[in-house]
Amino acid sequence: MKKILLRTILFALPKVLNLTARKHLRFRDRLKQKNLTAYIGLLDGSIGRFLEIRGGKVLSRPGRAADADVSMQFRDLATALKFLMPKPDQGEIIHAAKNFKVAAKGPDHLVVWFMQTLAFSQTVGLEMGTAMRDGTRRFTTGTNGGPLFVYVKDGRIQRITPLEFDAKDAPSWELHTRGRVFRPHRRALVAQHALALKSLVYSDKRILTPMKRVDFDPDGERNPQNRGKSGYVPISWDEALTIVAKEINRQKRVHGPGSITFPMSSHHQWGNVGYYLSSLMRFANLIGFTRVVANPDSWEGWYWGAMHHYGNSMRIGVPAGYGGIEDCLKEAEMIVFWSSDPESTNGAYAGFEGTTRRLWAKELGIQFVHIDPHHNPTAQLLGGRWIPVRPQTDAALAIAIMYVWAVEGLYDQDYVAKRTTGFDEWKSYLLGETDGVPKTPEWQEAETGVPAKDVRALARKWGNKKVYLAVGMTGAGFGGAGRGATGQQWARCMIMMMGMQGWGKPGVNFGGLQIGSPVDLHFYFPGYADGGISGELMWTGNAVNNYQRMPHILTMNPVRQMVPRQQLPDAIIDGHATGYLWDGMSQEAQFAPFTYPMPGYSPIHMIYRYGGSSLSTVTRSGRWVDAYRHDSIEFVVNQSIWMEGEAQFADIILPACTQLERWDIGEWSNSGGYALHGYSTVNHRVIALQHKCIEPLGESRSDYDIFTAILERLGLGGVFTEGGSELEWVKRVFDSSDLPNHVSWADFCRKGYYIVPPEKPELRAPVDMRWFAEDQPKDVPEPHPLPSQFAEQFGKGLQTPSGKLEFIPEILKRHTQDNPERPALNRYIPSWEGMQTVDLAARYPLQLIATHSRFSFHTFSDGKNSYTNRIPDHRVRIAGHDFWLLRISADDASERGISHHDLVKVFNDRGVVICAADVSTLVVPGVVKSAEASAEFQLVEVAGETVEIGGCMNLLTPDRPQTQGTSSMSPNSCLVQIEKWQGAQAFADARATQGVVHG
């Protein structure tokens, strides 16, 4: 019977394919792409069928596998039926492939084309999107700033709007507190940069054809010294792909696979298939490469410092925030925003979802305090007390507050006695018994600039109220003052302050109403850091959930050599580097250094760049220019959508398309990995099919298709694709989640999104750390820490050796005794680049802070003549050029003869950047404020001086780690001088000569 079934399937297959071609023009066009013969059957030859594709028709006849262009042969009947029956079990298919129960033979590009054609026959009939009355078709997509509707007509995007829910979508949650009922808006409150997407798709800076540097000859002179200087000529895809594939093989033959590196930058385009931790990781693993190990750039002070007081290593030292919104609105009396500006950072991906909740708090009379060198947009919106503190002196202010608490008994003495260790030693330091210097409010005043009376008043008010402490990007950690020389001290102080106030008790927790919404945390959908299609188990969250749910072949990188991201330019230029590992699996792994190069492996000779630029996102960015031009770098390829940033330093440029020109799938604000349940920053869980809304512009291709085309030339295309295109992988992600239990694949394709119903009130997640405050077993829904990391009973106590919150961390005692910069006792150590570095401060008297942009998302939506560039608070057009802004106080501007929107020279020993001055009362004298992550990087010579005019503020920031023995960056420890740019008129004259109209 099974033999008859297999013969029937093989006999019917060509008829089904021809019928599909008659019904669907796109499939008919697909069949016309190739003329080939294919054999499908059993390996022993007892059952099989010969398929011939000619001129868009499929013919069937008997034949031998040896005579076919491609063949797919099965070891046994059972395996064949598992592959060929409708709705096959993907797990069975992967199992058979891994155990060589099926063999696909033939030229790799033909095997891939044939397998993808068979898969396409199953999806071509799906209705995608919703027809609208105005003649457009509405599609959906997800972005770094939230989900969108995309309206398309005649193959062109007409408009993009935030996604709005309809009556059939799940209801919203509601909160009952203090006699009020609050419900969130029934739409996605997306970030500004998400709405710039149409302008990015149609940007005149799109790269629409493969390019080769004019003076680069892969078979002759390569002229690395001219990268970033010489121009480009268009070439064909075939020539570009051949050059790249040949160079990959040459590198492995001549040097070994460790000579290739993929500098992976985060936050490019949204999705679970096209993201760098997904398809790029799979591609890189199949080639072999020296891994660039990222520093925890969103967690710096938390990972290297705060974690050791309480654990949470699998969150890199950041609190979880569970239940924080309901608890705060019900119990808190005050919120202290310390180096926290959620109105600008949006909790990373959440848009303005938290804004509504903070306005609820204002309605309820909850008081606000803002501690920040800059009167940021959150402070401007909410009001309350602004306490400007000098950059990187925050730890001194925190220590002085704790001094007042200790002296006046304004701390939770019962909590400290029962739930913590080491407080007596810490109190001795506060009182001056350790070093003879009491840490009074007067002690900190000269350092921080905050009057002692204000510190004492804040300490007393705080000590007598139930307070939520909002720190960094989400209000529960990340970034903020943690990115500087004293970043570890500050983050440690934040944990210690909450320890003194009874962290976990009602109304006493971390958060600024940005994280901890009462959404359903148990509905499974993978986040982007859960590995996607990578098959990578070590460097993603794949092993936790995704790999078991979405069967796919594992990929492994055989190269053990690594290089620290911050030191990659130094590794190239100097030939060596030392780094410290970012590994959330333990608290101890960070203390062991690793070195580059590793014995047995080649130094790096080839750079394959994809995604956002390191220029402007990595400190002292000028090092990257020298690294790209170094003689040791034999080949640079950049896979880029736009001509910006590092693309100009490539030998070969491969034009990628935007996310609106390819398939993907993702959930709003769901990062997964080390930020488990990150979607609790939004009011509704929104899972979106990221439709391919239009065809790729020009000759651009999706990243997935580019990787496939290169790997086909290496015989690895079939391994990479597993026979599927992007849409087939999207379907696999869909099937791996809980979505099929609630919506059909066909309905999901039409509508494009699904709203996960909220959690029932009685099943909402408990408040973070409430269990610890009450000495109960851990009850929040996170698998952290690992079972082996509990000091006593599983689920009881923290990850620390004592199981308690440790004021003097035992792990730092064990490992940093010989490191004066990382003492177990969190004493205040002034910044190594700050006002106490007297000689340097005399030359460069202004402290620069360059935080995340309010209007862009890293480099993604900036530049490119985008909608974002037209926002006057983001860039200002002067002499036909869009200049980056630098905010400066009126006093500092007047002292230098600078007026509003004058072009100013911002400089130190590390570089020169030209900005437009934003003279403002929002910063105090001595501090200047800008943003990091300009997409533009433009070195020009004006009046005999080389300056950068794109806004790359990270040219100026130091590459020194926060403390020795860590791989940690410190961009906010940066001294500069500013003067009116003397070359402004020469620049304007040159632009006018070039025919640029003055703005």
Side-chain angles (χ1 to χ4, degrees):
M1 181 62 72
K2 289 184 177 180
K3 289 182 179 181
I4 295 173
L5 180 59
L6 178 57
R7 288 192 176 99
T8 302
I9 291 173
L10 295 177
F11 181 78
L13 179 59
K15 299 181 183 300
V16 171
L17 296 177
N18 285 323
L19 177 61
T20 304
R22 285 196 295 271
K23 292 174 60 178
H24 301 289
L25 175 63
R26 289 192 301 139
F27 190 70
R28 188 158 66 249
D29 290 341
R30 171 80 181 186
L31 289 181
K32 290 179 181 179
Q33 292 176 0
K34 306 280 184 186
N35 291 326
L36 60 77
T37 55
Y39 177 87
I40 304 176
L42 298 182
L43 194 59
D44 63 9
S46 61
I47 302 176
R49 198 73 181 169
F50 207 78
L51 276 65
E52 185 173 357
I53 302 176
R54 289 282 183 271
K57 301 283 188 179
V58 184
L59 305 175
S60 176
R61 58 180 170 82
R64 300 184 312 152
D67 297 329
D69 295 316
V70 300
S71 65
M72 185 167 58
Q73 294 174 278
F74 306 97
R75 292 194 65 84
D76 53 62
L77 188 60
T79 301
L81 292 174
K82 287 174 181 176
F83 270 74
L84 299 175
M85 289 289 285
K87 297 182 180 179
D89 184 325
Q90 197 66 41
E92 293 285 357
I93 289 178
I94 296 300
H95 180 72
K98 288 192 297 185
N99 288 279
F100 302 97
K101 292 184 176 184
V102 60
K105 297 180 180 180
D108 198 64
H109 70 284
L110 293 181
V111 171
V112 171
W113 182 87
F114 180 67
M115 297 294 289
Q116 290 185 339
T117 298
L118 294 180
F120 185 40
S121 71
Q122 303 299 304
T123 60
V124 67
L126 286 168
E127 181 184 354
M128 297 292 179
T130 304
M132 308 302 289
R133 286 182 295 180
D134 64 354
T136 62
R137 181 163 287 271
R138 190 189 74 190
F139 297 107
T140 55
T141 196
T143 73
N144 294 298
L148 304 171
F149 284 142
V150 182
Y151 296 85
V152 175
K153 186 175 184 179
D154 298 329
R156 185 171 177 85
I157 299 167
Q158 301 299 307
R159 61 189 181 276
I160 289 176
T161 65
L163 190 146
E164 296 189 44
F165 309 157
D166 62 34
K168 295 180 180 179
D169 291 325
S172 304
W173 47 262
E174 59 182 37
L175 293 180
H176 298 252
T177 176
R178 311 189 200 203
R180 299 286 302 279
V181 178
F182 294 112
R183 300 179 189 88
H185 294 282
R186 298 279 296 162
R187 60 182 181 273
L189 303 177
V190 304
Q192 304 102 314
H193 53 80
L195 298 174
L197 191 50
K198 178 184 174 183
S199 66
L200 301 178
V201 171
Y202 294 116
S203 166
D204 59 0
K205 289 205 168 188
R206 282 289 299 270
I207 302 170
L208 298 178
T209 184
M211 310 279 282
K212 181 168 74 73
R213 189 162 53 86
V214 294
D215 52 356
F216 169 77
D217 181 356
D219 300 314
E221 291 297 322
R222 301 194 173 200
N223 297 307
Q225 73 281 358
N226 290 336
R227 291 182 183 126
K229 300 177 182 177
S230 47
Y232 293 88
V233 292
I235 59 175
S236 69
W237 266 112
D238 184 65
E239 182 181 358
L241 295 169
T242 299
I243 291 172
V244 174
K246 282 185 174 179
E247 186 63 25
I248 289 171
N249 275 338
R250 189 187 77 83
Q251 289 289 329
K252 293 201 284 187
R253 269 196 323 271
V254 175
H255 303 296
S259 71
I260 306 171
T261 194
F262 293 79
M264 299 176 183
S265 58
S266 303
H267 311 311
H268 183 34
Q269 299 188 92
W270 195 252
N272 282 42
V273 176
Y275 198 70
Y276 87 97
L277 286 171
S278 180
S279 56
L280 174 66
M281 184 83 74
R282 188 177 185 84
F283 174 68
N285 279 356
L286 290 174
I287 290 172
F289 67 109
T290 290
R291 183 176 301 280
V292 177
V293 179
N295 57 297
D297 53 8
S298 291
W299 291 278
E300 297 289 11
W302 302 91
Y303 177 70
W304 303 107
M307 175 170 69
H308 300 301
H309 289 275
Y310 80 111
N312 254 33
S313 69
M314 290 183 75
R315 288 191 181 274
I316 322 296
V318 175
Y322 291 114
I325 290 171
E326 186 169 10
D327 182 60
C328 181
L329 291 174
K330 285 184 174 180
E331 299 287 349
E333 299 168 292
M334 185 167 76
I335 303 175
V336 175
F337 291 90
W338 198 321
S339 194
S340 181
D341 180 19
E343 294 303 319
S344 295
T345 57
N346 301 121
Y349 318 111
F352 292 98
E353 297 285 283
T355 305
T356 302
R357 304 186 293 248
R358 284 183 286 276
L359 292 176
W360 291 345
K362 188 171 184 177
E363 289 180 36
L364 293 173
I366 295 175
Q367 299 178 40
F368 305 115
V369 174
H370 308 272
I371 303 175
D372 197 302
H374 173 230
H375 194 251
N376 60 51
T378 302
Q380 295 169 44
L381 175 68
L382 298 179
R385 181 63 187 270
W386 174 40
I387 300 178
V389 59
R390 287 195 186 112
Q392 289 301 290
T393 66
D394 303 77
L397 174 58
I399 289 170
I401 291 172
M402 286 187 276
Y403 168 88
V404 175
W405 290 348
V407 169
E408 299 185 10
L410 298 174
Y411 65 97
D412 192 324
Q413 298 179 42
D414 181 69
Y415 184 99
V416 166
K418 293 179 180 178
R419 310 305 301 138
T420 75
T421 66
F423 180 73
D424 289 342
E425 185 176 350
W426 175 241
K427 184 176 180 181
S428 294
Y429 172 73
L430 295 175
L431 298 180
E433 297 168 358
T434 304
D435 56 8
V437 181
K439 308 309 178 295
T440 63
E442 288 73 21
W443 161 81
Q444 64 80 51
E445 184 170 331
E447 182 74 358
T448 68
V450 181
K453 64 179 180 60
D454 293 342
V455 176
R456 194 166 273 108
L458 174 60
R460 288 170 177 165
K461 192 170 189 177
W462 190 337
N464 283 291
K465 289 184 179 295
K466 293 188 290 185
V467 175
Y468 257 66
L469 174 58
V471 288
M473 178 182 67
T474 65
F478 298 91
R483 291 190 175 114
T486 62
Q488 293 165 50
Q489 298 176 52
W490 170 73
R492 293 177 66 181
C493 281
M494 298 301 99
I495 296 295
M496 297 164 78
M497 294 179 86
M498 292 306 293
M500 289 184 71
Q501 290 301 317
W503 182 13
K505 290 189 172 183
V508 180
N509 220 308
F510 282 102
L513 297 170
Q514 187 63 49
I515 192 169
S517 64
V519 294
D520 182 354
L521 303 176
H522 303 279
F523 185 104
Y524 175 69
F525 188 86
Y528 70 68
D530 290 331
I533 75 170
S534 68
E536 168 66 57
L537 295 183
M538 290 182 59
W539 299 91
T540 72
N542 199 352
V544 178
N545 247 328
N546 188 49
Y547 182 67
Q548 299 94 314
R549 295 294 298 258
M550 189 183 79
H552 53 295
I553 296 173
L554 292 178
T555 66
M556 300 179 187
N557 177 24
V559 179
R560 293 292 176 261
Q561 177 170 263
M562 301 184 296
V563 61
R565 181 188 182 211
Q566 291 292 324
Q567 280 72 56
L568 177 58
D570 308 311
I572 292 170
I573 297 166
D574 302 331
H576 59 83
T578 298
Y580 294 83
L581 200 60
W582 169 18
D583 181 358
M585 298 295 284
S586 77
Q587 299 173 92
E588 295 83 6
Q590 64 176 246
F591 298 104
F594 65 90
T595 58
Y596 165 91
M598 184 178 179
Y601 289 101
S602 166
I604 293 167
H605 294 292
M606 172 180 164
I607 298 173
Y608 195 121
R609 184 76 210 182
Y610 152 100
S613 176
S614 288
L615 291 171
S616 194
T617 61
V618 173
T619 53
R620 199 156 73 87
S621 294
R623 297 174 294 152
W624 287 83
V625 176
D626 297 333
Y628 274 118
R629 292 174 177 161
H630 198 265
D631 287 342
S632 68
I633 301 302
E634 300 168 351
F635 185 61
V636 179
V637 59
N638 197 304
Q639 193 164 307
S640 183
I641 303 170
W642 304 279
M643 180 58 80
E644 61 178 2
E646 288 172 80
Q648 63 191 296
F649 293 92
D651 300 319
I652 296 293
I653 300 176
L654 305 177
C657 66
T658 68
Q659 66 188 65
L660 297 188
E661 299 157 85
R662 61 170 178 80
W663 295 103
D664 216 321
I665 187 172
E667 178 179 4
W668 188 10
S669 203
N670 185 353
S671 50
Y674 289 124
L676 180 69
H677 298 146
Y679 44 73
S680 74
T681 54
V682 297
N683 291 323
H684 306 83
R685 292 189 62 182
V686 183
I687 301 169
L689 176 64
Q690 298 178 204
H691 284 109
K692 182 179 179 180
C693 304
I694 60 173
E695 290 299 315
L697 300 188
E699 297 179 45
S700 65
R701 298 184 181 182
S702 75
D703 295 307
Y704 180 90
D705 287 344
I706 295 172
F707 296 146
T708 301
I710 293 171
L711 290 173
E712 284 175 348
R713 285 164 167 75
L714 304 176
L716 288 165
V719 178
F720 177 76
T721 64
E722 296 184 18
S725 66
E726 281 170 308
L727 184 56
E728 279 74 52
W729 281 106
V730 167
K731 175 62 161 56
R732 286 207 214 178
V733 175
F734 173 90
D735 287 339
S736 75
S737 73
D738 286 346
L739 282 171
N741 299 327
H742 302 271
V743 60
S744 72
W745 171 238
D747 287 345
F748 186 67
C749 289
R750 278 192 294 271
K751 188 168 185 175
Y753 70 94
Y754 178 74
I755 308 299
V756 179
E759 189 62 272
K760 296 177 181 178
E762 59 271 24
L763 294 178
R764 289 173 181 169
V767 178
D768 192 34
M769 293 294 281
R770 181 68 49 80
W771 62 275
F772 178 73
E774 297 177 353
D775 195 20
Q776 298 294 323
K778 187 172 183 178
D779 59 1
V780 292
E782 62 176 5
H784 310 157
L786 295 173
S788 64
Q789 294 172 322
F790 285 93
E792 295 184 10
Q793 280 190 332
F794 174 63
K796 288 280 286 183
L798 301 177
Q799 191 181 346
T800 57
S802 66
K804 297 182 177 183
L805 190 152
E806 297 179 351
F807 280 92
I808 315 295
E810 179 63 30
I811 286 180
L812 291 183
K813 282 185 185 179
R814 296 172 184 173
H815 298 287
T816 64
Q817 291 182 353
D818 298 326
N819 186 345
E821 295 186 2
R822 293 183 80 191
L825 175 68
N826 189 26
R827 60 188 178 86
Y828 181 67
I829 303 172
S831 171
W832 36 256
E833 184 165 329
M835 302 318 293
Q836 288 205 27
T837 52
V838 179
D839 292 341
L840 190 63
R843 289 190 292 139
Y844 304 115
L846 298 174
Q847 292 181 277
L848 168 68
I849 52 173
T851 62
H852 288 303
S853 170
R854 186 183 181 193
F855 302 104
S856 180
F857 191 81
H858 294 275
T859 64
F860 184 66
S861 56
D862 174 55
K864 300 174 271 290
N865 293 322
S866 69
Y867 154 85
T868 303
N869 270 26
R870 304 283 76 82
I871 299 174
D873 280 348
H874 181 69
R875 284 185 183 268
V876 173
R877 178 156 288 190
I878 300 172
H881 180 77
D882 293 326
F883 281 95
W884 205 246
L885 286 172
L886 180 90
R887 186 159 284 171
I888 184 171
S889 74
D891 289 349
D892 287 330
S894 176
E895 182 182 324
R896 293 162 174 79
I898 294 170
S899 299
H900 191 58
H901 285 181
D902 277 349
L903 292 180
V904 295
K905 174 181 173 181
V906 190
F907 65 98
N908 58 22
D909 292 338
R910 293 180 282 265
V912 178
V913 182
I914 305 302
C915 295
D918 178 13
V919 180
S920 172
T921 59
L922 298 175
V923 290
V924 293
V927 175
V928 290
K929 166 72 173 62
S930 189
E932 59 90 38
S934 157
E936 307 293 339
F937 179 82
Q938 301 178 58
L939 288 174
V940 298
E941 186 173 319
V942 179
E945 181 181 30
T946 298
V947 298
E948 201 284 321
I949 62 170
C952 182
M953 305 309 293
N954 267 316
L955 272 180
L956 308 172
T957 55
D959 59 327
R960 185 197 191 282
Q962 293 181 2
T963 63
Q964 68 181 52
T966 66
S967 288
S968 53
M969 68 178 186
S970 305
N972 286 337
S973 294
C974 182
L975 294 177
V976 299
Q977 180 57 289
I978 297 174
E979 60 186 38
K980 193 170 181 177
W981 187 30
Q982 299 305 308
Q985 189 58 51
F987 175 80
D989 291 344
R991 299 283 288 183
T993 301
Q994 296 164 9
V996 176
V997 179
H998 287 220

